[in-house]
Every structure is written in C-alpha cells, then in structure tokens.
C-alpha cells in the first residue's frame, strides 16, 4: 500500500506540473475514496485492487487529460465493484465526474462475444453512442490498456476473450481517436495472447537482428542530422522498427517473411515550423532515392483521425527501404495522443472549456474533412455528438441499431414482424417496460411473446418511431381484419339464407355463385363475405340476391336437360382431349376445372353443366358436390366425365398444411417443393393460434401420383401435423 501511495503522490506532482488548472483536492479525495471502497479487494496478481484505477489514472494523466477525467479514472470501478453510488459520487465530486463514472460502468457491462464484422462495427458505434462524452472512451481505453498489460494473471480463456475484444473494439477506437501510441500497444498486447507463437517469432527475429537494425538506424539518423544541421534546421530525429502487430499484419497479408517486408523501419523527423517539414522532405529526397508513389502529404490533407505528417519511403544502404515521417511537435502530439492531445492543448490555452465547446471543435474538424474513410469516422463520432441513433441488445447479445426515440415496439418489429405481432410484454434490462419506453443505447431488450396474443393494438402505430414497424402493424390489421370479416360475413349470410329457406351450400353451385357475384359486383365469394362482415352490405340484401339466382337456375333446369340429351345422342367418343377431360356424350365442350377442389388426373371426378361456362369439373368428394347432391341442386345437370388417356398439361393442385408454428416453416416448404421441381403458384401462411399455423399452397402437378409424392415429402417436414387437399370453399 505504501508503494501505491508513493505512486499516487508522484502522479499528483506530474499532474500539477503539466496542468496549472488541475484541482489537487478533487484528485486526492477521489484517490482516498477509491482506496476506501476497494479496501480488501485484491487483483489476480495479489496486489491491492486500487492499484488498477491508479494505473488507469496514470495513463489518463499522461495523455494530459483534465481533473475530472483523472478523478473519474480513479473512481471508474467503484460503482461496478463496490457499494458506491452515482448519487454519492455526484455529491462528492460533482455531476461531470459522476456522469463519466456511470458511463464507464455501463460500458463495462456491455456483453461481448466474437461476432460478424457488421456486429462489431455496431458495437464500436454503440460504445461511442453510450459514452456521450469522449472522455468516457478515453478512460475506458486506458482501463483496457492497463488490464491488457496485466493480462497474464487471467485464465487462458479470459485472455483470449479480452484480446479479441481489444483487437476488435478498443484498438480501432483508439485509432479513430488518433491515439496511435496506445493503439499500437493494445495491438501488440492482444497479439501476444491471440498468436503467441507468431508474436514470439517476430520478437525473436527482431532481437536477433537488433544490432543490424540499430546500426542501420544510427547511420540514417546521423546522415540526416548532419544535413539538416548544415541547412540550419533544428530537428529531432528518431528511428525505430515498426510495432510488432504491424509487421505481423504485413507478413500475414502479403505472405512474406520478415526480411521481405518492405518498410520495417520508420524514421521520424520532428521540426518546429510547418514550413520546415517540406524543406526536410527536399533534403531527404536529395540524400536518398525516393520510391515513386510512396510520398503522402497528410499535412495538407490530414487523415480522418486528425493525423498530420509528410510520409515518404526512400531506399537506404544496401537497398533497404525505410519510411520517413516528417512533422511538427504539435502534429507529433496529435499523432501520439490524438483527441486527448487536443484536450490538453485547448485547456492549456483558454482554461476550462465547456464540454460543448470541445465537442464543437471536434465537430467542425470532422465536417471539414472528406473522403470515405473520413465519412466513416465522422459517422462514428457523430453518433456521439448528434445522438441520432440508439444501439440496444437482444438477450443473445446481438446489437440492434434503431433511430433515436425508438420504442420497445420498434425493437420487436425490427427483430421480426411475428415477434411484434405476438408481443405481450417487454423487459428492458430485466425489468418490465411499457411499450412506449424510449430505448437507450446499451439497453438489453427482451420481448415476451405469446401465441394467445390478439395481435398489436391500434395505439402501437402512434408509439412506433420507425416506418418499418408502423407498416408492419398496419399490414397486420389489414390482413387480420379481413380474415375476421370473412368469417363473420360468412356466418351472417348463412344465417340469413337459412331464415329464407335457401338451401345451405347453394353458393357451391357455380352458376348461382357467378350470378350472385356479378349482381353484387364482387370478384370472389370471400370479398362478398368480407364486405358483409365489415358491414358494407347487409346479409339480408346478399341473401336476397342468392335466392333470386338460385330460383333462376331451378327454372332453367329443364332446358339444360334437353341440351344434354341432344349431345348424348352423338356416338363418337374420343379418348383424347386437349383439356385432358372426356365428357360423356359431349365432344369438345368447354371444360373448366373448379377451384374449390382442384381435381388432378387420377382423381374421381364428375362434371356439372353450367350456363355459358361449359362443364365444370369437380372431384366426386368435393364438399360442394356432396352438398349439392344432398340438396338435389342442379339435378339432371351432372354429367359423367373421365380423364383422357394422354394428358400433357399440368394441373393446379391445392393443399392445406397445418403445422406447429416455427421459424423457417415456410422456407422449408418452399425448399422441398423446389427440390422436387414443383412450381408454386401461391403460398399463404397464417397463424391459427395456440402455436399452430396454416399454410395454403397452390402448385402445378401432373397427376395424383405426383401429388401424393409431394404430400409425402411435405409431411416429413418438422412440425407438420396434417396435410389436406382443399375441398369446397
Ligand atoms: Mn477497470
């Protein structure tokens, strides 16, 4: 503990020296508070826990961050690991510190698992969105840096997890914020966990060649130094081998051995004035032969992360290429510390800047930059600045990206319309939440669904923020209402027909149906039902039309019989037919396959002579046929029909599948049909309630045998309970 106290005093000295505005009291009391709260806690390596927040604060202080950041760094694990609360920290250290500590805590709780690239990008954005204040990210990066430096004490599994997360989240964030030094260290530490063999190979080779590298760099530094001195340019020159992960990446990407790597070395020339940068460039090109196309002016066009320097690659002794980076001290600090350097710079000059002013600067700078990489960067930071998006988690840890103001309803429909339509409740961060709860970045949202759900409520349209959710809700109402209305209309009409003594099933008579539809101007019987159900037409009026049409057909029965007899007199009975149907006693008559039962070759069939539509073909077991016969409807108009011997056309068959509702049910059906080369004409799925769904299927088949094959295949699909051919309406 004594050692820790000494380290703290050293930190305080450094902070006071670097920043005249630093508030020693706040930093000291934050340290005392952290010591008190972490008392008795130990790190994995056996040291007192408080050594970790102290180390984090040291990194943050080295970056030149302000008092609030240093205090928050000292306190960053208090809410998570000790009894400290937001309120208490706010009371003791002020709102700003408390906000930062709370945001860091939230980020600590973000679950992380290795994911696809898109998810990782969302996670990075989420970090920025949740942070709200860029200082939160800087502290979080410092926290991670210290944890990575001491990762050896963790289990191997944990090491790999943290290393992945570091590589995928923290190093890219550090890069975006221009914190090159920390980014490189994070990458090297992570690589050491992820590929210890590869890491060791590179370090061993670097050590083996250390003397060569050293000599090479010394020679270059001397040569450049002398030349610049002669020219009267004051410059600091240093040279180094690039960091291990960048070598590793180049070897991996370019499939090269280390000695084949193009630019292993980087020499830095740091000068006072920007004008000198270009002069130095001239001298260097004079001393060494430049490689064409390798000169980059990041001074006139800074990198998206604010990096500025001149880069050139030249050929040194023995044909060895090396990169030279030329920059001013300001640019150098920006390159090393990125956004943190700016923090320091601004605060030093103008005193305590408001957060808004600081963000304003970043915003301006970002907007001034173009090119695609810059756009990504701007987008990433804008989330922080402009807060127009929220990022929330599914219970599985997937990140869902929604516009700011999105509610639980938007989330549910973003997962799947079936989830939204069956939502009966929602939990946000394990607590029951209202449907209109506005989601916050980092929320973990769980939607509770039930098959007993009666579907969305009308209010949801207003409570949803995304048009996607709104459209899905509206769609549901359109579809669901229709089914309801059809059912109600059918019941009403049938009751009314019964009252008037009209035989049940008379609408199965095609002629009656055609007449009724024509007179009521509907395209289908279900449209008629829907309108009755909706109240657009009274059941009485519809029933009257049905009765009139029904009576009409009865009057004409006699005439039809005559027609039939006349035709029956003809002796010729061909066994082929373009339609595939042979009608007893009638040659080449118009044939129509009824849609109510969709007969296919091999079915037992019967024909009904309609007026004007020719003979309509039904299956003998069609409910309409059975009902009509029972009621003696259309007596004398039924005619024997049979299938022709040679049939070349395909026939429309329809199946009704009942199955336990599950994801992928419809996909499975479609896949099986496509596997056996069956063309689907239409497929309609709807929920039956109680976890069951019905799928109506219309497709082309040759005959009953093929239809049986299809039925067999479909019945093997997981969850399928029953498959029926459609008969009747
Ligand atoms: Mn920590």
């Amino acid at each position: 503990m004594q050692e820790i106290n000494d380290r703290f005093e050293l930190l305080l000295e450094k902070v006071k020296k670097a920043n005249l505005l630093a508030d020693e009291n706040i930093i000291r009391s934050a340290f005392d508070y952290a010591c008190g709260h972490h008392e008795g806690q130990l790190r994995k390596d056996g040291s007192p826990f408080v050594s970790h927040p102290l180390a984090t604060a040291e990194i943050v202080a080295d970056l030149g961050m302000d008092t609030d950041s240093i205090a928050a760094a000292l306190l960053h694990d208090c809410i998570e690991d000790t009894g400290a609360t937001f309120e208490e920290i706010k009371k003791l250290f002020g709102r700003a510190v408390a906000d930062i500590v709370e945001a860091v805590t939230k980020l600590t709780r973000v679950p992380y698992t290795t994911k696809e690239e898109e998810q990782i990008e969302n996670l990075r954005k989420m970090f920025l969105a949740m942070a709200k204040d860029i200082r939160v990210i800087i502290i979080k990066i410092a926290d991670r840096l210290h944890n990575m430096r001491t990762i050896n004490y963790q289990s191997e599994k944990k090491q790999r997890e943290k290393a992945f997360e570091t590589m995928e989240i923290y190093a890219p964030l550090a890069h975006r914020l221009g914190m090159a030094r920390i980014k490189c260290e994070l990458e090297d530490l992570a690589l050491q966990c992820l590929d210890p063999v590869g890491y060791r190979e590179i370090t061993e080779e670097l050590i083996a060649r250390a003397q060569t590298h050293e000599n090479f760099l010394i020679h270059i530094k001397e040569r450049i130094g002398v030349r610049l001195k002669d020219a009267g340019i004051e410059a600091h020159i240093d040279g180094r081998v690039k960091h291990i992960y960048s070598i590793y990446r180049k070897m991996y990407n370019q499939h090269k051995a280390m000695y084949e790597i193009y630019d292993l070395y980087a020499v830095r020339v740091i000068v006072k004035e920007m004008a000198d940068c270009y002069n130095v460039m001239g001298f260097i090109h004079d001393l060494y032969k430049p490689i064409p196309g390798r000169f980059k002016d990041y001074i006139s066009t800074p990198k998206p992360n604010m990096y500025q320097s001149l880069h050139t690659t030249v050929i040194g002794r023995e044909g060895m290429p090396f990169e030279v980076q030329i920059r001013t001290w300001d640019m150098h600090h920006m390159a090393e510390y990125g956004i943190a350097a700016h923090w320091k710079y601004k605060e030093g000059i103008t005193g305590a800047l408001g957060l808004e002013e600081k963000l304003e600067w970043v915003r301006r700078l970002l907007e001034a930059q173009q090119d695609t990489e810059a756009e990504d960067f701007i987008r990433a930071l804008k989330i922080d600045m402009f807060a127009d998006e929220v990022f929330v988690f599914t219970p599985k840890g997937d990140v869902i990206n929604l516009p700011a103001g999105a509610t639980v309803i938007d989330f549910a429909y973003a997962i799947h319309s079936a989830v939204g339509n069956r939502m009966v409740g929602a939990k946000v961060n394990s607590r029951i939440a209202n449907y209109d709860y506005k989601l916050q970045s980092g929320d973990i949202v769980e939607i509770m669904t039930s098959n007993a759900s009666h579907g969305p409520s009308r209010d949801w349209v207003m409570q949803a923020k995304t048009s996607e959710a709104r459209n899905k809700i509206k769609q549901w109402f359109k579809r669901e209402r229709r089914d309801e209305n059809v059912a109600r209309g059918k019941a009403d009409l049938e009751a009314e027909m019964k009252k008037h003594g009209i035989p049940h099933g008379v609408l199965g008579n095609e002629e009656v149906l055609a007449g009724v539809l024509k007179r009521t101007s509907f395209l289908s019987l279900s449209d008629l039902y829907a309108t009755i159900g909706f109240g657009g037409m009274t059941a009485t009026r519809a029933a009257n039309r049905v009765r009139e049409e029904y009576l009409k057909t009865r009057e004409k029965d006699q005439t039809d019989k005559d027609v039939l007899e006349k035709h029956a007199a003809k002796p010729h009975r061909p066994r082929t037919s373009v339609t595939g149907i042979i009608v007893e006693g009638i040659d080449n008559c118009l044939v129509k396959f009824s849609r109510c039962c969709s007969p296919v070759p091999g079915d037992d069939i019967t024909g009904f002579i309609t007026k004007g539509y020719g003979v309509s073909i039904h299956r003998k077991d069609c409910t309409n046929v059975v009902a009509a016969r029972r009621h003696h409807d259309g007596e004398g108009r039924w005619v024997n029909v049979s299938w022709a011997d040679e049939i070349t056309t395909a026939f429309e068959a329809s199946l009704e599948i009942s199955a336990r509702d599950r994801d992928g049910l419809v996909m499975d059906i479609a896949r099986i049909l496509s596997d056996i080369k069956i063309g689907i004409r239409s497929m309609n799925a709807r929920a039956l309630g109680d976890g069951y769904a019905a799928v109506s299927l219309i497709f082309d088949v040759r005959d009953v045998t093929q239809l049986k094959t299809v039925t067999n295949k479909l019945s093997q699909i997981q969850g399928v309970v029953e498959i029926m051919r459609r008969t009747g309406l």
Side-chain angles (χ1 to χ4, degrees):
M1 213 41 223
Q2 187 50 49
E3 185 205 326
I4 286 171
N5 284 327
D6 292 347
R7 257 172 62 196
F8 175 72
E9 295 304 331
L10 214 67
L11 166 70
L12 210 51
E13 282 313 307
K14 259 164 76 178
V15 170
K16 281 196 295 190
K17 220 195 251 165
N19 182 358
L20 297 174
L21 297 157
D23 187 331
E24 183 183 344
N25 291 333
I26 289 180
I27 296 173
R28 189 178 288 282
S29 61
F31 176 66
D32 291 341
Y33 187 88
C35 285
H37 275 79
H38 291 298
E39 193 171 3
Q41 293 177 349
L42 294 179
R43 300 203 85 212
K44 285 257 159 66
D45 63 3
S47 63
F49 187 87
V50 78
S51 66
H52 165 65
L54 176 59
T56 307
E58 284 166 350
I59 296 166
V60 168
D62 278 343
L63 287 169
M65 298 299 291
D66 60 0
T67 303
D68 285 350
S69 304
I70 296 167
L74 286 166
L75 299 169
H76 82 266
D77 274 328
C78 279
I79 293 183
E80 185 67 10
D81 295 342
T82 77
T85 62
F86 172 80
E87 287 306 324
E88 198 179 32
I89 290 174
K90 189 171 117 184
K91 210 170 78 193
L92 291 168
F93 306 101
R95 179 72 197 237
V97 173
D99 279 344
I100 296 173
V101 173
E102 192 184 49
V104 172
T105 307
K106 266 195 185 168
L107 284 182
T108 305
R109 289 177 187 152
V110 167
Y112 174 85
T113 44
T114 310
K115 291 191 170 73
E116 289 152 24
E117 188 49 42
E118 194 188 338
Q119 279 285 303
I120 292 164
E121 179 53 25
N122 268 342
L123 261 181
R124 288 181 206 128
K125 287 183 185 169
M126 173 184 241
F127 262 63
L128 292 167
M130 281 174 71
K132 292 195 179 93
D133 182 334
I134 216 79
R135 290 177 293 184
V136 171
I137 296 287
I138 293 171
I139 291 169
K140 201 61 207 151
I141 289 171
D143 171 45
R144 175 50 56 102
L145 179 60
H146 182 242
N147 282 333
M148 286 306 292
R149 282 175 180 170
T150 53
I151 193 89
N152 290 344
Y153 298 96
Q154 299 286 352
S155 70
E156 207 167 300
K157 182 170 169 278
K158 191 111 184 178
Q159 285 190 25
R160 285 189 70 80
E161 274 172 24
K162 293 286 164 195
F164 263 119
E165 200 182 8
T166 300
M167 207 59 116
E168 288 174 337
I169 308 287
Y170 290 92
L173 282 177
H175 173 67
R176 282 187 181 175
L177 298 178
M179 302 157 77
R181 184 177 281 198
I182 287 183
K183 173 211 158 207
C184 292
E185 189 178 348
L186 284 173
E187 284 176 344
D188 283 355
L189 289 166
L191 178 65
Q192 209 172 348
C193 295
L194 294 173
D195 185 359
V197 176
Y199 182 88
R200 206 170 48 235
E201 275 173 13
I202 294 174
T203 44
E204 278 170 4
E205 201 167 338
L206 285 178
I207 290 165
R209 291 163 176 265
Q211 202 51 54
T212 322
H213 295 318
E214 184 84 343
N215 292 341
F216 181 75
L217 288 168
I218 286 176
H219 182 82
I220 291 169
K221 284 199 285 189
E222 271 179 12
R223 196 162 169 210
I224 296 174
V226 167
R227 185 63 182 269
L228 294 183
K229 208 173 173 188
D230 286 352
I233 296 172
E234 199 182 314
H236 170 87
I237 306 164
D238 72 50
R240 71 204 158 96
V241 174
K242 287 188 171 173
H243 81 288
I244 292 167
Y245 181 66
S246 81
I247 297 170
Y248 180 88
R249 205 175 40 210
K250 281 185 176 145
M251 287 168 66
Y252 182 81
N253 286 346
Q254 302 167 12
H255 305 287
K256 281 182 177 162
M258 201 169 102
Y259 65 86
E260 293 174 299
I261 300 279
Y262 206 118
D263 43 2
L264 207 51
Y265 305 98
V267 171
R268 240 176 236 151
V269 181
I270 306 171
V271 294
K272 276 187 175 162
E273 303 291 331
M274 198 179 83
D276 287 341
C277 293
Y278 293 92
N279 289 334
V280 170
M281 174 68 67
F283 288 121
I284 286 178
H285 282 182
D286 209 29
L287 285 171
Y288 300 97
K289 187 174 153 36
I291 297 178
R294 298 275 304 180
F295 168 66
K296 291 181 198 109
D297 182 353
Y298 295 120
I299 291 179
S300 61
T301 315
K303 279 194 188 182
N305 62 9
M306 300 175 250
Y307 177 89
Q308 284 187 299
S309 282
L310 297 178
H311 284 194
T312 183
T313 303
V314 296
I315 312 254
R317 217 166 45 162
E318 293 148 20
M320 193 84 91
F322 62 96
E323 186 178 72
V324 184
Q325 303 167 349
I326 306 157
R327 52 175 79 143
T328 65
W329 283 104
D330 277 353
M331 293 172 195
H332 179 63
H333 289 133
M334 195 61 105
E336 295 281 284
Y337 304 115
I339 201 162
H342 178 77
W343 213 272
K344 183 184 187 178
Y345 177 70
K346 272 288 186 194
E347 192 165 68
I349 290 174
T350 58
L353 262 183
L355 181 64
E356 264 316 299
E357 288 169 82
K358 284 171 178 161
L359 295 183
E360 180 56 36
W361 176 84
V362 176
R363 192 178 302 162
R364 266 209 316 276
L365 187 124
L366 293 175
E367 281 173 351
Q369 298 181 28
Q370 281 155 8
D371 85 44
T372 50
E373 204 193 335
E375 269 171 30
D376 281 351
F377 182 65
I378 289 165
R379 213 175 303 132
L381 268 179
K382 264 187 179 169
I383 288 155
D384 172 37
M385 314 297 164
F386 302 93
D388 54 1
E389 283 176 273
V390 292
F391 299 87
V392 294
F393 286 108
T394 69
K396 280 185 200 154
D398 284 339
V399 181
I400 305 285
N401 182 355
L402 294 164
T407 62
V408 166
I409 298 168
D410 294 298
F411 176 87
Y413 280 94
I415 301 287
H416 196 278
S417 51
V419 173
N421 289 336
R422 287 181 193 181
M423 175 164 67
V424 291
K427 284 181 182 173
V428 174
N429 304 325
S430 305
R431 286 203 180 147
I432 301 284
N434 288 336
Y435 291 151
D436 61 355
Y437 168 80
K438 285 194 174 41
L439 297 169
Q440 307 293 313
S441 278
D443 282 345
I444 300 171
V445 189
E446 186 185 345
I447 301 296
M448 292 172 284
T449 59
S450 163
N451 293 321
S453 152
H454 295 299
S457 138
R458 283 277 181 198
D459 308 340
W460 292 11
V461 178
M462 298 302 295
Q463 289 164 358
K465 164 96 183 174
T466 60
S467 54
E468 191 197 356
R470 284 201 203 119
N471 288 339
K472 283 178 174 173
I473 298 165
K474 284 179 190 160
Q475 244 170 44
W476 186 89
F477 276 107
K478 220 167 144 188
R479 202 178 58 235
E480 216 53 25
R481 276 281 160 84
R482 179 173 165 91
D483 289 355
E484 253 170 54
N485 288 336
V486 167
R488 193 182 310 136
K490 184 167 190 266
D492 288 357
L493 181 58
E494 278 169 2
E496 196 64 24
M497 281 161 59
K498 202 172 171 187
K499 226 160 69 185
H500 289 82
I502 306 166
H504 179 77
V506 70
L507 283 170
N509 178 322
E510 300 223 351
E511 211 173 329
V512 175
L513 180 59
V516 171
L517 293 181
K518 200 174 166 199
R519 293 191 54 187
T520 51
S521 313
F522 285 106
L523 287 174
S524 72
L525 184 55
S526 51
D527 286 347
L528 173 65
Y529 285 154
T531 308
I532 297 169
F534 175 66
M537 177 191 264
T538 62
T540 317
R541 189 163 158 234
N544 282 335
R545 298 287 168 274
V546 175
R547 191 180 52 188
E548 286 157 22
E549 289 301 312
Y550 166 63
L551 293 175
K552 240 199 262 175
T553 55
R554 289 191 62 155
E555 283 161 19
K556 285 180 182 167
D557 274 358
Q558 197 55 44
T559 342
D560 293 331
K561 224 179 219 167
D562 295 343
V563 172
L564 189 59
E565 275 163 8
K566 218 188 313 177
H567 280 285
K570 292 194 176 175
H572 184 59
R573 296 173 70 185
R575 291 305 297 165
T576 57
S577 157
V578 279
T579 58
I581 289 289
I582 296 163
V583 180
E584 196 180 283
I586 310 173
D587 286 345
N588 299 323
C589 68
L590 188 61
V591 162
K592 192 183 149 222
F593 291 92
S594 96
R595 290 201 82 149
C596 57
C597 55
S598 308
V600 301
D603 280 326
D604 264 347
I605 46 173
T606 184
F608 182 83
I609 302 170
T610 66
K611 289 198 187 98
Y613 294 106
V615 174
S616 90
I617 309 298
H618 290 261
R619 280 156 51 199
K620 275 189 177 158
D621 60 356
C622 172
T623 52
N624 290 329
V625 173
V626 174
R629 290 242 156 116
R630 196 167 51 230
H631 294 99
H632 307 287
D633 284 338
E635 251 172 346
R637 297 171 64 192
W638 294 98
V639 58
N640 288 332
V641 295
S642 56
W643 297 99
D645 290 336
E646 276 178 36
I647 298 169
T648 47
T649 47
F651 290 78
E652 213 170 274
S654 60
L655 290 178
E656 288 285 319
I657 304 167
S658 312
R660 277 198 315 281
D661 201 357
R662 62 174 174 85
D663 286 347
L665 176 66
V666 169
M667 276 298 298
D668 286 353
I669 293 171
R671 205 194 53 234
I672 284 200
L673 291 176
S674 121
D675 281 351
I676 52 177
K677 307 260 184 305
I678 294 289
I680 301 176
R681 293 213 176 179
S682 97
M683 174 147 71
N684 256 304
R686 59 193 189 279
L688 294 177
D690 295 334
Y692 287 88
V695 181
S696 307
L697 207 56
I698 299 177
F699 54 93
D700 285 335
V701 289
R702 280 193 310 276
D703 54 21
V704 157
T705 317
Q706 195 184 24
L707 180 58
K708 273 202 184 111
T709 312
V710 174
T711 312
N712 280 340
K713 288 268 181 197
L714 291 174
S715 66
Q716 285 159 22
I717 292 174
Q718 184 210 327
V720 167
V721 180
E722 187 178 45
I723 301 177
M724 303 262 285
R725 283 187 72 184
R726 204 156 65 143
T727 53
L729 183 71

